Amino acid sequence: WFATITGLTIDVLYELDPWFDKNAFAEFIAKLKECKADILTNIYTEVYTDASVTGAMYEADFCNRAWDMEEFAKVTNGNLNLPMTNIAIRTQILIDNQIQMPPRYYGDIYYLLCATALAKSICVTNIDLYRYRKGIQGQSTSIDSYKRNYKDYICLTKLLVTFYVGLSVPYAIRCIVKENIMGAVSFCYKLLMSKEYCGNFDDSKDVLFDFNNFLKTKSRELYHASYLINIKKIPYVLFWRLFNINLFILR
């Protein structure tokens, strides 16, 4: 098994910010030893700076059984939203497919989607393992962080597109992977076109043209699918391609 917790002791984990719950950690390790699925998931709790917490649990009859990934995809309507905090992956999948964490910000997006696309089975649990701090300035999912590291996000999305082009999996899984990758593609255009993010940067236009040309060359399928990207039913990507006018900047 491989998990993000590898190599850290329970006491150290508990002191980190965010942190792992010690009792849940022990339960999770015990579950790993008995689990036969390719992926084992847990849940987590979000802890905010005002001390409020939020979280969600799976329905009881959904847990503690090995789901075929195609069956799991149907039941969850294609939801592969399994963040790094929620997932342990069988080591052999990573080795056989040479999946590694890219040394960039947001590398988990590529790492996790590749692994879940190639896994055959998954087991879901309600082990509340992780305490995720929210509302802290400078977090990687903040607007400021995206502004600083947007080229890393673009690079990782290109890696995902390349992965998709060579992917050989059942049709149902391929459709779900495509949907998830299109989410990343859509956000790339938003990053580069929205003044809230990087739309006003000196080099954003050059990076936008480069990404658009990459997508067109690498995958006509995803390129044409991106015509449907819209905000409030306005297909701003299509409009930009046809008229070279960025509606995001005009908003």
Side-chain angles (χ1 to χ4, degrees), residues 65-81:
R65 53 165 289 189
W67 290 83
D68 176 84
M69 286 301 290
E70 289 189 74
E71 184 184 15
F72 178 80
K74 292 177 182 178
V75 171
T76 60
N77 294 318
N79 183 7
L80 288 182
N81 182 24

Side-chain angles (χ1 to χ4, degrees), residues 27-156:
E27 184 182 358
F28 188 74
I29 293 299
K31 192 68 178 178
L32 279 175
K33 293 179 179 178
E34 69 180 48
C35 184
K36 303 300 182 183
D38 289 338
I39 290 176
L40 178 65
T41 74
N42 56 276
I43 60 174
Y44 70 94
T45 296
E46 294 180 346
V47 182
Y48 292 84
T49 52
D50 63 359
S52 62
V53 299
T54 61
M57 297 178 66
Y58 295 105
E59 294 182 6
D61 59 358
F62 191 67
C63 299
N64 300 313
R65 53 165 289 189
W67 290 83
D68 176 84
M69 286 301 290
E70 289 189 74
E71 184 184 15
F72 178 80
K74 292 177 182 178
V75 171
T76 60
N77 294 318
N79 183 7
L80 288 182
N81 182 24
L82 299 171
M84 186 69 80
T85 55
N86 286 40
I87 188 170
I89 303 160
R90 190 173 294 279
T91 307
Q92 203 60 45
I93 293 175
L94 306 177
I95 295 173
D96 291 346
N97 297 284
Q98 299 181 331
I99 300 172
Q100 297 182 359
M101 179 81 74
R104 296 178 179 272
Y105 268 79
Y106 316 112
D108 58 314
I109 297 172
Y110 172 83
Y111 174 84
L112 293 174
L113 187 55
C114 290
T116 51
L118 295 167
K120 303 297 185 185
S121 57
I122 184 170
C123 180
V124 175
T125 77
N126 275 327
I127 300 173
D128 192 2
L129 178 61
Y130 194 68
R131 300 295 181 270
Y132 182 29
R133 291 287 191 186
K134 297 284 285 186
I136 300 174
Q137 188 174 5
Q139 285 184 305
S140 62
T141 53
S142 68
I143 292 178
D144 286 342
S145 180
Y146 281 123
K147 287 181 176 180
R148 291 193 304 270
N149 304 295
Y150 74 97
K151 290 185 179 179
D152 277 2
Y153 195 95
I154 303 299
C155 178
L156 289 166

Side-chain angles (χ1 to χ4, degrees), residues 4-5 8 10 13-14 16 18-22 25 85 129-131:
T4 57
I5 50 180
L8 298 177
I10 292 177
L13 287 169
Y14 188 67
L16 291 179
W19 72 96
F20 289 88
D21 179 86
K22 289 196 291 187
F25 183 79
T85 55
L129 178 61
Y130 194 68
R131 300 295 181 270

Side-chain angles (χ1 to χ4, degrees), residues 141-233:
T141 53
S142 68
I143 292 178
D144 286 342
S145 180
Y146 281 123
K147 287 181 176 180
R148 291 193 304 270
N149 304 295
Y150 74 97
K151 290 185 179 179
D152 277 2
Y153 195 95
I154 303 299
C155 178
L156 289 166
T157 303
K158 288 181 177 181
L159 290 176
L160 283 173
V161 171
T162 302
F163 169 76
Y164 178 77
V165 170
L167 184 62
S168 179
V169 292
Y171 178 75
I173 298 298
R174 186 173 176 83
C175 289
I176 293 165
V177 174
K178 177 182 177 180
E179 181 179 346
N180 281 263
I181 291 177
M182 284 307 302
V185 169
S186 176
F187 190 60
C188 283
Y189 282 104
K190 183 176 182 178
L191 277 176
L192 296 170
M193 298 175 72
S194 171
K195 59 186 177 183
E196 180 183 14
Y197 289 95
C198 310
N200 288 327
F201 286 12
D202 291 339
D203 62 349
S204 61
K205 289 184 179 179
D206 291 338
V207 179
L208 175 60
F209 277 106
D210 174 77
F211 177 73
N212 192 65
N213 288 334
F214 165 83
L215 191 62
K216 185 177 182 179
T217 302
K218 180 61 69 172
S219 175
R220 300 290 294 190
E221 178 187 356
L222 298 182
Y223 180 79
H224 289 303
S226 60
Y227 283 134
L228 301 177
I229 297 172
N230 67 84
I231 296 291
K232 295 182 178 179
K233 298 184 179 181

Side-chain angles (χ1 to χ4, degrees), residues 232-244:
K232 295 182 178 179
K233 298 184 179 181
I234 299 174
Y236 66 92
V237 173
L238 175 59
F239 196 89
W240 169 74
R241 286 174 178 169
L242 291 176
F243 305 109
N244 196 25

